[in-house]
Amino acid sequence: MAQVPPRQLQRAERGKVTRLVTNASYTTPPVELIRLKRDGHALTESQISQLITQYQEHRLLDSQMAAFAMATCVQGMTSDETYYLTKAMLNSGTRLAWPPGPAVVDKHSTGGVGDKASLLIAPLLASFGVRVPMISGRGLGITGGTLDKLESIPQFNTSLSLNELQEIVNSTGCVIAGATEQIAPADRKLYGLRDVTGTVASIPLITSSILSKKLAESPDALIFDVKCGTGTSMQTFEEAQELAEMLVQTCVRFNVKAKAIITDMNQPLGTAIGNAAEVREALLSFAGSGPADLVHLATTFVFELLTLAGKTLTYQDVADNLTNGHAQNHFEDMVAKQGGNLCQLTSPNWTPLIAAEDGYLARVNTGALGALLVRMGGGRQLPEDTLNTQVSLAVPKKVGDSITRGEVIGAVSHPAPEAYLEQLREALQISAAPVDPRPLIIGTVIQNDQ
Ligand code: URA
């Protein structure tokens, strides 16, 4: 695996600019640490730990932490600093302790439009006997959140105590819940601040934020779905690769086996976008009628993660468990243990979008679809927004598919669909000439010893 320092620090790491500050004591004034980061210096473990501890204990102002986050966004961090930051945030809370038993594994996605793969992956993993304590997040902006999708199931409870979470894993094999107050509380505080200060888009901050929660699960192995394209935060392959490498490298330093797969997010995953509709698509996948891209992605991630965790099995073994009832049983059991009532899951009320011309689907403005769902009330602009779970979009075609005039090329579920149908049409670019399909899996980052 290539060691790629953050771009902003590559010059500094060659020793021309950066001086590693080694003699700072715990009492270094925070403003001095902020200045050091602003000027492109690499901080030590004790300096980073000091900042996080003081922030958690309300001895560092939000304004100071925001300045530090902005300095980090602009200057980047070395892989050592990213590791120290992850460690400090992880140590701000508790970690799950597991009795001896099957491997503890999890998957994380950086988030994309229509990405409901976790709904398939957690129970599919559990069907092979491993333990899956999946701590997940809510959607904000154009990408949906797994917790929001599950909460479209009436009475589904994502706010579990650590004891409840572990009990469900021990009895069912998997759970999908939100981070409790005890899991990486420093990240909870810092993430809220980053969200309103334009400091989300930073590879070290994203890495430490994701890993402080995932490592708190005390996993043996983790796999990352790093999305790349217009429907996610990492728009270029280079950015996605840099994040994937930093996630894997940092896990290795915590002795956790890790792998990252970079997947295309220039079109939605599956066909449905919107919370209840996405749960329905997951149920269809258990019944053998899921969209090919979603099914392939879920099967690939489960196969790769189980192999990483030391199991001997084939891709076909995993594909079989997705549709032979085993994964579905774990899903239904998990939903029941978390209080959800699948019988009351709402159904979308689709109004179709009809093709006005023959051709080929050339491009999907995936970011625009995510933004459209938010405007329709199916996504969140502010953390406190409530969601309309019935609001959804559907895009049944994939880039490269042929289109015949009069055919259904999309659908909207909304009480007043007309205006949204036209916006959906604008997001789908049709060309007269044939177009190549897009590959779903576009890169893999593994540890050196795999
Ligand atoms: N998800 C997280 O948990 N944190 C980030 O910073 C970005 C995505």
Side-chain angles (χ1 to χ4, degrees):
M1 183 177 64
Q3 284 267 114
V4 182
R7 231 173 269 123
Q8 303 93 324
L9 278 181
Q10 284 179 3
R11 189 167 55 113
E13 283 194 329
R14 276 187 233 123
K16 294 201 175 128
V17 177
T18 295
R19 163 177 62 92
L20 187 68
V21 180
T22 52
N23 60 349
S25 75
Y26 188 75
T27 54
T28 310
V31 67
E32 176 60 16
L33 300 182
I34 296 164
R35 276 196 213 112
L36 287 169
K37 182 42 63 198
R38 179 199 66 193
D39 295 342
H41 295 281
L43 300 188
T44 64
E45 180 164 8
S46 70
Q47 290 171 331
I48 289 179
S49 161
Q50 171 193 327
L51 280 173
I52 296 301
T53 307
Q54 291 181 339
Y55 185 50
Q56 199 189 349
E57 292 172 355
H58 307 283
R59 291 188 287 125
L60 195 76
L61 300 170
D62 270 352
S63 53
Q64 291 177 303
M65 191 41 110
F68 179 74
M70 184 57 83
T72 301
C73 258
V74 175
Q75 293 290 1
M77 275 186 171
T78 63
S79 43
D80 279 347
E81 288 178 289
T82 307
Y83 166 64
Y84 303 147
L85 183 59
T86 307
K87 195 168 164 192
M89 303 233 286
L90 173 64
N91 290 341
S92 73
T94 43
R95 294 187 214 190
L96 299 181
W98 297 102
V104 175
V105 300
D106 196 6
K107 162 255 179 189
H108 178 84
S109 164
T110 55
V113 176
D115 182 6
K116 73 283 288 172
S118 290
L119 305 184
L120 302 182
I121 288 174
L124 186 52
L125 284 165
S127 75
F128 288 93
V130 292
R131 294 177 282 189
V132 191
M134 191 179 274
I135 293 175
S136 243
R138 284 178 203 289
L140 192 61
I142 62 163
T143 62
T146 299
L147 298 184
D148 297 321
K149 299 176 208 287
L150 284 167
E151 284 176 354
S152 71
I153 304 171
Q155 288 101 47
F156 190 96
N157 179 17
T158 58
S159 304
L160 302 176
S161 69
L162 290 184
N163 277 346
E164 288 169 330
L165 192 142
Q166 286 190 287
E167 270 170 33
I168 296 175
V169 172
N170 288 334
S171 62
T172 305
C174 60
V175 72
I176 305 180
T180 68
E181 309 247 306
Q182 300 107 299
I183 300 277
D187 172 65
R188 183 180 281 244
K189 213 169 158 214
L190 178 54
Y191 192 79
L193 194 64
R194 286 168 57 210
D195 204 32
V196 293
T197 55
T199 52
V200 170
S202 151
I203 284 172
L205 296 180
I206 294 173
T207 301
S208 54
S209 171
I210 291 172
L211 290 186
S212 60
K213 289 168 293 212
K214 287 286 158 182
L215 294 170
E217 298 169 2
S218 304
D220 297 298
L222 288 172
I223 196 161
F224 300 97
D225 182 358
V226 179
K227 303 262 179 223
C228 170
T230 57
T232 186
S233 49
M234 299 289 138
Q235 307 254 317
T236 67
F237 181 74
E238 289 69 28
E239 285 172 322
Q241 189 179 26
E242 202 177 318
L243 176 60
E245 286 178 347
M246 193 56 83
L247 286 165
V248 172
Q249 264 176 42
T250 310
C251 283
V252 169
R253 295 183 73 166
F254 286 93
N255 288 320
V256 171
K257 292 178 183 167
K259 181 167 199 167
I261 301 180
I262 302 170
T263 65
D264 185 50
M265 192 22 79
N266 287 298
Q267 56 187 335
L269 184 65
T271 64
I273 311 164
N275 295 308
E278 293 193 41
V279 174
R280 289 210 168 270
E281 195 159 81
L283 295 175
L284 274 180
S285 306
F286 293 131
S289 313
D293 58 341
L294 172 65
V295 167
H296 178 52
L297 185 137
T299 308
T300 302
F301 274 79
V302 170
F303 170 69
E304 294 290 348
L305 180 53
L306 291 174
T307 306
L308 188 63
K311 289 223 178 250
T312 306
L313 78 179
T314 64
Y315 179 95
Q316 192 54 46
D317 295 333
V318 179
D320 289 346
N321 264 24
L322 181 61
T323 53
N324 64 10
H326 293 182
Q328 182 165 6
N329 287 344
H330 283 272
F331 181 75
E332 289 176 357
D333 200 13
M334 177 187 82
V335 171
K337 293 257 169 50
Q338 295 189 235
N341 186 345
L342 271 173
C343 301
Q344 288 178 4
L345 181 67
T346 184
S347 294
N349 183 12
W350 294 119
T351 303
L353 176 71
I354 304 298
E357 58 198 315
D358 291 341
Y360 299 85
L361 185 59
R363 192 172 163 267
V364 180
N365 189 340
T366 312
L369 291 182
L372 176 56
L373 189 81
V374 173
R375 285 198 297 282
M376 287 164 60
R380 210 177 265 112
Q381 262 155 343
L382 296 170
E384 58 272 22
D385 288 350
T386 49
L387 303 181
N388 179 340
T389 57
Q390 202 188 15
V391 155
S392 331
L393 296 164
V395 179
K397 296 280 183 183
K398 293 286 153 195
V399 169
D401 283 356
S402 65
I403 288 172
T404 308
R405 186 164 178 257
E407 182 182 12
V408 174
I409 52 165
V412 168
S413 170
H414 191 275
E418 289 73 22
Y420 300 118
L421 276 175
E422 277 324 296
Q423 294 175 50
L424 173 57
R425 190 186 297 283
E426 281 162 20
L428 307 178
Q429 191 183 315
I430 296 172
S431 80
V435 177
D436 287 337
R438 297 192 67 88
L440 178 62
I441 292 176
I442 50 183
T444 302
V445 174
I446 55 171
Q447 290 168 222
N448 282 336
D449 58 352
Q450 284 173 44

